[in-house]
Amino acid sequence: MRYMMKQKLFCWGDDFTIKDEAGTDRFFVDGKAFSLGKQLSFQDMQGQELAFIRQKLLAWGPTQ
């Protein structure tokens, strides 16, 4: 299955949808607009959170 992401250049936060090959919305990505570091919540179309990614701003050593 191939998915397509399209993010708008000028939007409030980093909100966008992920579509499948047929052009149907499959996932929603909710980016937090006012936070320290980027925070993205990957959700299904019913609004249930599947994954959460948070950018770490400071680290003492190498992190992955």
Side-chain angles (χ1 to χ4, degrees):
M1 173 80 41
R2 180 177 281 186
Y3 294 103
M4 181 179 75
M5 296 177 7
K6 190 171 188 182
Q7 186 176 12
K8 295 178 182 177
L9 285 176
F10 301 104
C11 64
W12 200 258
D14 288 325
D15 300 345
F16 57 93
T17 56
I18 299 174
K19 299 177 186 265
D20 62 9
E21 292 175 336
T24 307
D25 290 341
R26 301 294 286 189
F27 303 102
F28 178 71
V29 179
D30 182 18
K32 307 298 179 197
F34 299 106
S35 63
L36 294 174
K38 291 210 175 225
Q39 295 181 2
L40 299 174
S41 171
F42 287 81
Q43 304 170 358
D44 60 11
M45 294 312 293
Q46 288 75 35
Q48 184 176 0
E49 186 173 78
L50 304 172
F52 185 78
I53 299 175
R54 180 178 310 150
Q55 178 186 16
K56 196 171 196 176
L57 292 178
L58 296 173
W60 291 104
T63 60
Q64 296 183 16

